[in-house]
Amino acid sequence: MRTGLFGGTFDPIHNGHLQVVQSAKWLLNLDRVIFIPAGDPPHKTDKVITDKFTRLDMAQLAANIVGAQVSDWEVRQEKKSYSLDMLRHFRSVYPQDELFFIVGADSFRDLPLWWHYRELLELCTFVVVARPDVDKETLLDRFVGDEKPPRVFYLEDVPMDISSTEIRQMAGSGQDVSHLVPPAVLTFIKTHSLYINGGDNGFRKN
Ligand code: ATP
């Protein structure tokens, strides 16, 4: 089987994420895609993020729309988890599968800073999703001459120019975000009074 793994904070999950899944499934002929909401992301420790189980619930609501699955593996980790831990986990669960790690170009750009990133390269093919501020041409520059450069499939023409940060800010200032998130997620955000102060309020802590 060809399995796509899509990690992120998903605070909240939005239509851009869903488009990525649909395109990746189609273009790479993936048999399944699994969203993996982060528990306590190592690179976002300075930010307040919404409770991990709340983010997991929103991911589940959205995943159903595109026939994807959601894994609670990361949110159940008691210590900080790294992408390498996550990939090793899914390698052991699906030993026969080809693993495709879906990441935005913004994240991929920082790959050499990731925990033991060279080991990651052995475990997966990267599906790098174009992002507005990242130059495709220079993305692989730092791997030139490497004995084992990453296997990369570049996904173009997908991204909607939206981010969870913008959605939190818009929702916080009372703007309509119904075109940016699936209806079920919108209802969830309203029902749970998420993002009412643009993010940093008493409802939002890990
Ligand atoms: P934030 O604004 O809170 O940083 P985000 O919208 O970038 O959030 P994440 O949960 O960090 O969402 O995203 C998970 C992955 O999805 C990241 O690799 C990110 O680059 C990618 N991604 C986010 N938004 C889009 C989009 N609109 N189109 C394509 N990829 C996206």
Side-chain angles (χ1 to χ4, degrees):
M1 295 258 268
R2 292 162 70 85
T3 295
L5 303 171
F6 191 8
T9 314
F10 304 124
D11 188 16
I13 194 162
H14 56 63
N15 292 342
H17 298 131
L18 299 188
Q19 275 199 3
V20 167
V21 169
Q22 281 173 317
S23 301
K25 263 179 129 172
W26 170 252
L27 290 168
L28 290 153
N29 206 12
L30 302 182
D31 299 294
R32 63 180 151 218
V33 174
I34 307 174
F35 284 107
I36 309 153
D40 186 8
H43 60 291
K44 289 197 174 175
T45 43
D46 55 331
K47 293 189 186 169
V48 181
I49 60 171
T50 303
D51 169 74
K52 55 192 179 183
F53 293 105
T54 304
R55 290 184 285 107
L56 186 71
D57 286 346
M58 288 192 280
Q60 189 66 64
L61 291 170
N64 292 338
I65 298 166
V66 290
Q69 302 171 23
V70 179
S71 166
D72 65 357
W73 185 80
E74 282 207 5
V75 302
R76 285 190 292 100
Q77 298 308 299
E78 284 176 6
K79 59 179 179 58
K80 285 180 185 177
S81 65
Y82 292 92
S83 299
L84 182 59
D85 302 323
M86 184 276 282
L87 276 161
R88 281 181 176 154
H89 166 72
F90 283 99
R91 167 53 61 233
S92 69
V93 175
Y94 302 120
Q96 308 297 336
D97 282 20
E98 190 169 353
L99 299 180
F100 293 84
F101 189 12
I102 303 170
V103 292
D106 51 334
S107 307
F108 183 80
R109 189 177 43 193
D110 298 331
L111 179 65
L113 304 176
W114 294 10
W115 179 254
H116 289 223
Y117 85 94
R118 284 184 196 282
E119 289 170 52
L120 274 172
L121 308 185
E122 315 268 332
L123 291 169
C124 65
T125 296
F126 287 89
V127 180
V128 178
V129 185
R131 301 292 283 133
D133 301 330
V134 186
D135 177 19
K136 176 188 173 187
E137 306 310 321
T138 57
L139 264 186
L140 289 174
D141 281 2
R142 65 189 76 192
F143 303 105
V144 171
D146 274 18
E147 214 172 287
K148 285 190 180 165
R151 296 183 296 275
V152 173
F153 183 93
Y154 197 76
L155 208 58
E156 290 185 88
D157 301 329
V158 182
M160 295 174 68
D161 190 8
I162 53 169
S163 69
S164 301
T165 304
E166 285 170 85
I167 293 170
R168 291 194 300 273
Q169 287 165 353
M170 288 172 71
S173 60
Q175 292 179 63
D176 179 24
V177 295
S178 59
H179 54 302
L180 303 177
V181 297
V185 172
L186 183 67
T187 304
F188 188 99
I189 289 171
K190 289 184 176 166
T191 309
H192 293 81
S193 306
L194 301 180
Y195 316 127
I196 52 175
N197 290 327
D200 297 336
N201 59 49
F203 296 98
R204 311 186 66 252
K205 56 186 188 310
N206 228 17

